Amino acid sequence: MTRQIRNLMAAVAVIFIFSCERLSPRATNSRADELYVTTMNASDVTIIKVWELPQELVEISANVLIDEQRMACIQDNAGTIYIYNLNSKAIEQKIVFTGKGDFESLVHVGNTFYALRADGHLYKITPGTKAEPVVETFDLPLTVENDTESMFYDATASRLLIGVKEKNMVNADAPGKEVYAFDLKTNTMSPTPVLTIEEPGDITTPDVKSKGKKKDRKFKPSEIAMHPSTRELYILNGPLSTLLVADKLGKIKKQYPLDTKLFPQPEGLCFSKSSELYLSSEGGNHGRGIIALVRLAAQE
């Protein structure tokens, strides 16, 4: 091999290495940015943007858009609604409606919020001009055994739809998870389920402790939202970091595994008026809570 050829090959190698470095994402000190890079090509979920939340929301359990700039959030251990500004990336208001409690879901209807506790207590919160909001409570015929973690608004029927994570109220031993209707006109809950979300089949995920072997897990919905256009149900299976899509009767159509580094315990989701999908997740043992704007492959 002549000296000229060796020099030419060396030059080509340098150019190739430099090009690869230019095309690779730069390392950053932001956990959200790092996870954004690792999640971009994971499964069929594209991460558009990630917001790292303040420490107060490390255990975020629900999120709902108020407008294009503000997201109302709630967390597991406090009866407080946190108004988070997506532009300034800061909490701009706190609405305290009660003390400590295991709060799992939040809905915004007009000027009113509805917060759901895991033991079946429903809070209606209407912020006013005064410091304290007007609060009404409803004791639903559900208990901590049912573990009520999901709730969404059905505008066509002026009702809240409330789902269980654990034991069904009516058909305790039946497969699937029951969803009940709370009528906003009469403030009463239906004695029977209005729909049942079917079990998504054999749920198997890689288990680190079992050295890669697959292990069956139970279906435990941690939140449900209705798509504003298609009326499909989007369901988070929090313990498995999985997003499911079902028809309006609860029949599962598709599953989307989520990156467990970014979504170690996803418990919140909501849609914008233009059908943009926002997910939220607790921070886990060492991280911070996050909100992520995502797009699914079927939506692209």
Side-chain angles (χ1 to χ4, degrees):
M1 183 181 293
T2 65
R3 178 179 297 178
Q4 289 85 354
I5 294 175
R6 285 198 300 269
N7 291 341
L8 178 60
M9 292 179 67
V12 171
V14 170
I15 293 171
F16 176 77
I17 293 171
F18 177 75
S19 299
C20 290
E21 290 177 345
R22 289 290 300 272
L23 291 172
S24 299
R26 292 185 179 181
T28 69
N29 293 324
S30 168
R31 168 179 170 270
D33 288 342
E34 291 171 357
L35 291 172
Y36 172 86
V37 172
T38 63
T39 310
M40 277 298 294
N41 296 319
S43 69
D44 294 322
V45 182
T46 300
I47 308 300
I48 307 300
K49 188 171 183 178
V50 176
W51 290 264
E52 270 197 352
L53 301 174
Q55 189 62 29
E56 290 174 279
L57 288 170
V58 68
E59 294 190 42
I60 183 172
S61 55
N63 58 282
V64 59
L65 274 172
I66 301 175
D67 52 41
E68 293 181 356
Q69 298 181 7
R70 297 180 300 157
M71 185 81 73
C73 308
I74 205 166
Q75 59 114 336
D76 277 348
N77 301 317
T80 302
I81 298 170
Y82 300 84
I83 308 301
Y84 179 79
N85 191 302
L86 298 172
N87 290 341
S88 65
K89 300 179 181 179
I91 296 172
E92 65 177 31
Q93 184 184 3
K94 298 178 186 179
I95 304 171
V96 179
F97 60 91
T98 189
K100 293 182 178 180
D102 187 7
F103 292 94
E104 298 291 350
S105 194
L106 185 67
V107 166
H108 184 235
V109 182
N111 190 42
T112 299
F113 292 98
Y114 291 88
L116 182 65
R117 214 166 65 184
D119 59 359
H121 281 74
L122 180 65
Y123 290 75
K124 180 181 179 181
I125 306 117
T126 306
T129 55
K130 297 181 180 180
E132 296 183 358
V134 176
V135 180
E136 297 179 64
T137 59
F138 306 96
D139 190 6
L140 307 180
L142 294 158
T143 69
V144 69
E145 290 186 351
N146 307 117
D147 195 2
T148 50
E149 290 207 5
S150 55
M151 176 174 65
F152 61 100
Y153 177 51
D154 180 7
T156 61
S158 187
R159 62 183 182 175
L160 303 177
L161 294 180
I162 298 171
V164 300
K165 183 179 180 181
E166 298 289 348
K167 184 179 179 181
N168 287 331
M169 183 180 72
V170 178
N171 303 300
D173 299 324
K177 299 298 181 183
E178 295 175 345
V179 176
Y180 318 93
F182 181 83
D183 192 315
L184 294 181
K185 296 178 181 178
T186 62
N187 292 328
T188 57
M189 195 185 93
S190 59
T192 57
V194 293
L195 65 94
T196 299
I197 300 172
E198 70 172 3
E199 296 278 351
D202 293 333
I203 304 174
T204 56
T205 55
D207 188 85
V208 176
K209 294 182 180 179
S210 60
K211 297 181 180 180
K213 295 181 181 179
K214 292 196 173 183
K215 181 179 179 181
D216 289 335
R217 306 292 182 88
K218 293 183 178 179
F219 176 44
K220 296 185 176 183
S222 54
E223 189 60 286
I224 306 172
M226 180 181 286
H227 192 283
S229 300
T230 67
R231 294 184 61 79
E232 292 173 315
L233 303 180
Y234 284 61
I235 306 143
L236 278 174
N237 193 7
L240 293 186
S241 297
T242 305
L243 176 65
L244 305 100
V245 180
D247 64 22
K248 61 182 181 181
L249 298 178
K251 183 176 178 59
I252 302 297
K253 299 169 64 177
K254 191 165 184 179
Q255 298 188 53
Y256 295 89
L258 302 173
D259 189 323
T260 55
K261 293 180 181 179
L262 186 60
F263 301 101
Q265 191 171 337
E267 294 197 349
L269 78 161
C270 71
F271 286 98
S272 68
K273 292 181 179 179
S274 57
S275 302
E276 294 174 313
L277 178 59
Y278 293 82
L279 306 180
S280 65
S281 177
E282 293 188 8
N285 294 329
H286 306 290
R288 294 170 65 178
I290 62 102
I291 294 172
L293 173 62
V294 307
R295 183 170 62 241
L296 306 182
Q299 296 177 318
E300 295 179 329

